[in-house]
Amino acid sequence: MTKLNKAYKFRLYPTEEQALLMHKTFGCVRFVYNKMLAERKAMYDNLKDDKEALR
């Protein structure tokens, strides 16, 4: 028996208030991601010679 995959396409038409909230949310997510990435890179740079500490 074969399984069929379905795909759905849709568009969002947010109000101005909803669009503002989405922009703020994605801005915060981007900030947190970049902050954690910078910390991870710094940790790697500090410990790159000690493979056991990187685990």
Side-chain angles (χ1 to χ4, degrees):
M1 182 170 176
T2 62
K3 182 178 178 182
L4 297 177
N5 293 326
K6 290 185 180 182
Y8 296 96
K9 275 187 161 182
F10 58 93
R11 283 191 71 154
L12 298 176
Y13 297 100
T15 64
E16 286 184 30
E17 183 180 355
Q18 291 169 330
L20 179 63
L21 184 60
M22 284 192 286
H23 286 288
K24 285 182 179 182
T25 301
F26 292 129
C28 289
V29 168
R30 185 172 43 251
F31 174 79
V32 171
Y33 176 82
N34 288 332
K35 183 91 167 146
M36 295 304 297
L37 182 60
E39 285 183 21
R40 186 172 179 153
K41 284 182 173 183
M43 173 98 42
Y44 176 79
D45 286 340
N46 290 338
L47 300 174
K48 63 185 169 188
D49 295 327
D50 186 5
K51 299 297 181 195
E52 276 300 311
L54 284 175
R55 289 185 167 207

